[in-house]
Amino acid sequence: MQIILLGAPGAGKGTQAKRLSAKYNLLHVSTGDIFRENIKNSTDIGIIAKSFIDKGQLVPNDVTVEIVKERLEQEDCKNQGYLLDGFPRNIEQAIELDKFSKIDLVLNIGVDINKLINRITGRRVCPKCGASYHVTTLNGETLCKACKTELILRDDDNEETVTKRIEVYNKQTAPLIDYYKKQGKIATVDGNLGIDETFNQIVKILG
Ligand code: AP5
């Protein structure tokens, strides 16, 4: 099964993707994670990506489509279902994706805009294992519960950049809801609920 997780920044795509990939044995393909790995390793793609990510803008389509295409052509993706987290992010990317992947379902995680900034600026991530937390549930703890590494705030998780990312989502990514509605592939999930409740809704949809 090939699934897209659609939603605004902070909607909970990454959180749900980790749980779903564990439950359904799906590969989690996150363009944000691929870019961050490239930034960490100072690759050419990483240098280009950072200049856009830090401003809350989308990385150009040619770069983004190519990294996703390359990833999906790898052997594991040919033999196993996957979850696309953060891709596509505009109509052009969706049109390109249709040329090299057959998507079965698009899960649209809807969250009220006023909740997003708090979720993102309060997020703390583990730079080693990728686990993600929110300050409200950490109770002052600064180490990753899984691997005991010091948690960090992502460079693009400040209020100014988040506001820009939400603006970009509204303008460029939200039109994908209609695009996939027309293909009869979309299912909407209420992401305003807690993490478990959101997950349970998705499990019901997947059956
Ligand atoms: P990316 O890393 O994909 O960021 P994003 O889409 O902005 O999404 P986030 O990771 O911020 O949020 P999320 O929905 O995964 O939320 P999470 O589960 O972590 O992309 C970063 C950048 O890379 C982009 O801005 C762009 O520049 C570039 N990029 C990436 N893909 C691209 C593409 N296709 N084209 C061009 N450029 C691209 O949850 C957030 C917080 O909320 C956490 O603290 C979590 O614990 C908490 N939380 C989650 N769910 C709930 C819940 N139900 N209730 C309460 N709290 C919750």
Side-chain angles (χ1 to χ4, degrees):
M1 173 121 80
Q2 268 79 258
I3 299 175
I4 292 172
L5 284 171
L6 199 62
K13 303 180 296 296
T15 303
Q16 297 301 329
K18 285 193 183 79
R19 290 182 168 214
L20 291 167
S21 61
K23 183 171 170 73
Y24 295 100
N25 194 27
L26 296 166
L27 294 163
H28 177 193
V29 178
S30 154
T31 38
D33 286 349
I34 296 174
F35 286 138
R36 282 183 286 278
E37 193 58 28
N38 275 277
I39 292 170
K40 200 163 91 184
N41 297 324
S42 301
T43 66
D44 290 347
I45 287 177
I47 292 163
I48 297 171
K50 186 167 169 49
S51 66
F52 290 92
I53 292 175
D54 284 353
K55 287 186 271 189
Q57 296 170 354
L58 295 187
V59 178
N61 287 342
D62 55 345
V63 177
T64 308
V65 169
E66 199 46 42
I67 61 156
V68 175
K69 189 165 182 274
E70 246 176 47
R71 179 67 190 91
L72 300 189
E73 277 169 1
Q74 285 169 19
E75 218 44 47
D76 56 349
C77 288
K78 285 183 188 156
N79 302 324
Q80 207 175 329
Y82 49 78
L83 283 162
L84 290 178
D85 164 9
F87 184 90
R89 248 176 158 100
N90 56 33
I91 300 285
E92 292 75 18
Q93 291 182 6
I95 291 170
E96 288 305 311
L97 178 67
D98 285 340
K99 295 178 188 167
F100 57 83
S101 173
K102 197 191 155 298
I103 296 301
D104 300 296
L105 178 69
V106 179
L107 290 165
N108 176 36
I109 308 179
V111 175
D112 296 343
I113 293 287
N114 57 11
K115 290 199 168 142
L116 299 174
I117 293 187
N118 173 277
R119 281 197 189 176
I120 294 185
T121 54
R123 172 171 52 192
R124 297 295 178 272
V125 293
C126 174
K128 192 173 172 199
C129 73
S132 171
Y133 304 90
H134 194 271
V135 284
T136 48
T137 57
L138 281 168
N139 300 320
E141 185 55 78
T142 61
L143 298 181
C144 174
K145 289 175 188 166
C147 69
K148 305 292 171 213
T149 304
E150 190 74 26
L151 298 171
I152 58 160
L153 176 69
R154 261 168 52 178
D155 286 347
D156 61 339
D157 277 357
N158 59 77
E159 198 165 334
E160 191 189 339
T161 312
V162 174
T163 306
K164 178 69 190 167
R165 282 158 61 195
I166 294 172
E167 206 181 292
V168 168
Y169 167 81
N170 285 329
K171 219 170 163 179
Q172 300 197 43
T173 311
L176 287 173
I177 297 172
D178 261 356
Y179 179 86
Y180 286 114
K181 246 184 211 159
K182 283 182 191 143
Q183 294 190 8
K185 288 183 178 166
I186 206 147
T188 296
V189 173
D190 184 1
N192 292 299
L193 305 175
I195 292 172
D196 289 342
E197 288 89 340
T198 304
F199 182 68
N200 290 339
Q201 291 176 69
I202 298 176
V203 170
K204 255 191 197 158
I205 291 167
L206 296 180

